[in-house]
Each structure stands twice: as C-alpha cells, then as structure tokens.
Amino acid sequence: MEVTKKFTPKLFLFKVLNGVALAIVVGLIPNAILGGLFLMLLLVVQNIKFTIPVITDVLIAIQFNLKPIQVVITGTAAFVGPGAAGFQENK
C-alpha cells in the first residue's frame, strides 16, 4: 500500500517557489545572455521562450518527486495550456 505524504502550505509553497527559481536560472538567464550575444540567431532565441512554461513545470514536478511519466504529462499540459502549441484546421 502506498503511503501519501501530507504537505503543509509552507512546504507546498516552498517546493513551488524552488522550482520557479530554478526555472529562472535554467531558462531565462541563458535566454537573456544568448539574446544579447547572438543577434543573428534571434529567431532561435525567441523560440526558446516557448519552452519556459515546460521547464518551470518539469522542475516543479521534480520537486514533488513525481514519476517520469507524470513529469512528462504535466510538462505537456504546461506547453499546450498557455497556447504555445495549438491545432489549426486546413483551410
């Protein structure tokens, strides 16, 4: 039988903020540095911005010790949810 952990609001908020802080370091700072250095690769650097929600969600999911399939599912939901990916009908 699997034992579930109870999270206090303080621990929950700590895990979420820790994941967000890691995502800022991993996703936004290199984006800012590369954007300033490689103006010729501006399109690539701009497309990196679409991965920020995925990076944030994956790092938060890792903080909560989720299984790999759960991390992938939540990462996919974070990518599709804000509208970074969408479906269009052929016109």
Side-chain angles (χ1 to χ4, degrees):
M1 186 173 193
E2 193 173 320
V3 177
T4 58
K5 256 187 169 178
K6 297 219 177 195
F7 289 106
T8 63
K10 180 181 177 181
L11 182 60
F12 179 81
L13 190 60
F14 176 76
K15 287 181 180 272
V16 170
L17 290 176
N18 196 15
V20 171
L22 285 170
I24 289 171
V25 171
V26 170
L28 294 178
I29 292 176
N31 189 16
I33 292 171
L34 290 176
L37 294 177
F38 303 112
L39 293 176
M40 296 179 73
L41 298 174
L42 189 60
L43 182 64
V44 174
V45 173
Q46 287 176 346
N47 288 335
I48 291 173
K49 293 177 188 176
F50 288 114
T51 63
I52 300 297
V54 177
I55 293 170
T56 305
D57 188 62
V58 166
L59 290 171
I60 291 172
I62 290 171
Q63 291 291 317
F64 284 99
N65 297 324
L66 295 181
K67 295 178 183 172
I69 189 70
Q70 294 170 325
V71 172
V72 170
I73 290 171
T74 56
T76 304
F79 188 69
V80 174
F87 299 103
Q88 295 180 353
E89 291 184 25
N90 293 336
K91 293 183 178 181

